[in-house]
Amino acid sequence: MRFKKFKGIGLFLLVLVLITIPVMAAQEDESQEEKQEVIAAIVNGEELTVNQLDSFINLGKFAQQLYQTDQDLMKIIFTTEVGQDVLNEYRKVKLEGFINAVLLDQEIKNRNIVLTDEEKDEIFNNQIAGLKENEGATDEEILDSIKQMGLNSMEEYKEFLFERLGDQLLLAKLQKEILDTASVTDEEIENYYNDNIDSMEQVEQIKTSHILLENEEMANQVLNQINNGADFAEMAREYSVDNSAKNGGNLGYIKKGDKNWDQDFTEAAFALDENEVSDVVKTQFGYHIIKVFDHVEEKTYQLEEVKDEIEGELLNNKRQEIWNQFILDLHENAEIERKL
């Protein structure tokens, strides 16, 4: 059983290392052919080629997918003048994202942001610990999956991991450096609470299950079995003609006044006490037997009850604003020449 539970881990590891931002490192020794490549943009003196842009937008993968689904369309796009015009327009749309990525890469280098050996060890150890906890994997099973990827040891996998995820991790470290300046005061939390007091109200709601039958006689027979000790959920699975039957009739929570529910149904349901079963209730859909499992009373949350949630929302908003402004500042302070 452990083997079956774990056998997808090789794919998990492979997907993990492939989910990464495109690598944009410039070649130290450019060939003459590379020097003659078409330039897409120049960012702070750094020339960005169309080939690099194509790599950034993963144009090769797109071509491969298109080849597998529609070879004629692929030929049109990649071999005709009209197709090249379409590709160039697509490149123009994606160029700004590429410029953003380059600006961030340059900022990481300007700030000398690197991953220390201690940070790498912590990240790697946490990832392995996560595999063991979430997948139930042993060291031997993880190593076996790593070898299926063509790697011979944990150390080789670690090197491979940071080669692929290095740019993402450096970007995350830059973001942390920028966003750690965000903070929220108690006054801001209180003001948000007062300004949004209507959203702090909890509407009365009930957790409900039902059994829907097409005729009253059958409904009364099922109700009689329930009143004599039959399990409600089992009766729902056996007799209900509603889609909720497979879940034992569970309808989840219904808020009072929700117009999406039949009013005859909700009126009968909200009249029930917790764990009480209704008589047969007739609606436009048929004959229901209703049971209420939980009743949540209407209330207004006090500030202390929602303080942490408000703080989290305000903090996320501030971080987004700070990050957006940081990107804008990078653009305003950069020398950018677009060539496409």
Side-chain angles (χ1 to χ4, degrees), residues 116-133:
T116 65
D117 291 339
E118 291 77 10
E119 288 171 329
K120 289 181 178 181
D121 287 342
E122 182 180 1
I123 292 168
F124 183 74
N125 291 336
N126 286 341
Q127 197 238 349
I128 297 300
L131 289 175
K132 291 179 179 179
E133 180 178 350

Side-chain angles (χ1 to χ4, degrees), residues 50-265:
V50 170
N51 280 348
Q52 288 175 309
L53 174 58
D54 288 349
S55 176
F56 176 81
I57 63 180
N58 219 341
L59 196 62
K61 183 177 180 180
F62 168 72
Q64 183 181 23
Q65 292 174 337
L66 193 58
Y67 177 80
Q68 293 171 348
T69 57
D70 193 332
Q71 295 183 24
D72 291 334
L73 180 59
M74 179 197 169
K75 290 177 182 177
I76 292 173
I77 291 178
F78 286 93
T79 64
T80 69
E81 186 175 343
V82 172
Q84 288 302 307
D85 289 340
V86 172
L87 282 178
N88 285 332
E89 288 303 314
Y90 180 65
R91 288 184 177 109
K92 290 178 183 178
V93 171
K94 294 296 184 180
L95 180 59
E96 293 309 308
F98 185 37
I99 290 173
N100 278 347
V102 171
L103 286 171
L104 288 168
D105 183 62
Q106 292 176 345
E107 185 68 12
I108 288 168
K109 292 173 181 175
N110 291 339
R111 290 173 179 249
N112 295 317
I113 295 176
V114 297
L115 291 174
T116 65
D117 291 339
E118 291 77 10
E119 288 171 329
K120 289 181 178 181
D121 287 342
E122 182 180 1
I123 292 168
F124 183 74
N125 291 336
N126 286 341
Q127 197 238 349
I128 297 300
L131 289 175
K132 291 179 179 179
E133 180 178 350
N134 299 326
E135 303 289 336
T138 65
D139 287 332
E140 291 75 16
E141 289 169 329
I142 294 174
L143 184 58
D144 183 60
S145 292
I146 288 172
K147 288 181 178 179
Q148 291 178 31
M149 297 170 61
L151 304 172
N152 296 318
S153 65
M154 286 281 199
E155 192 59 36
E156 279 192 24
Y157 172 65
K158 182 179 178 181
E159 293 177 7
F160 181 66
L161 182 71
F162 285 104
E163 283 177 5
R164 293 301 183 94
L165 292 182
D167 288 337
Q168 269 188 327
L169 295 170
L170 290 174
L171 177 58
K173 193 170 180 179
L174 170 64
Q175 285 181 315
K176 185 177 186 304
E177 188 173 300
I178 300 301
L179 301 182
D180 273 354
T181 60
S183 63
V184 176
T185 66
D186 288 340
E187 183 180 4
E188 288 173 318
I189 294 172
E190 186 173 354
N191 289 339
Y192 181 92
Y193 176 84
N194 293 328
D195 291 342
N196 296 274
I197 192 66
D198 290 344
S199 66
M200 305 302 165
E201 295 179 355
Q202 176 181 273
V203 179
E204 182 182 359
Q205 52 189 299
I206 51 176
K207 185 178 181 182
T208 311
S209 290
H210 82 145
I211 302 171
L212 177 63
L213 299 120
E214 295 177 341
N215 66 78
E216 188 174 9
E217 181 180 358
M218 175 60 78
N220 281 314
Q221 291 177 11
V222 173
L223 177 60
N224 185 56
Q225 292 185 63
I226 292 171
N227 288 337
N228 284 303
D231 183 75
F232 192 95
E234 289 301 322
M235 292 292 100
R237 291 188 185 95
E238 184 173 353
Y239 293 107
S240 184
V241 296
D242 184 66
N243 289 333
S244 65
K246 61 181 179 293
N247 298 319
N250 183 18
L251 298 174
Y253 281 91
I254 301 174
K255 294 182 178 180
K256 194 165 190 177
D258 189 337
K259 301 300 183 182
N260 293 317
W261 293 88
D262 181 274
Q263 298 307 297
D264 292 327
F265 179 90

Side-chain angles (χ1 to χ4, degrees), residues 266-278:
T266 55
E267 183 179 346
F270 274 92
L272 297 172
D273 292 327
E274 193 170 314
N275 293 318
E276 184 180 0
V277 177
S278 73

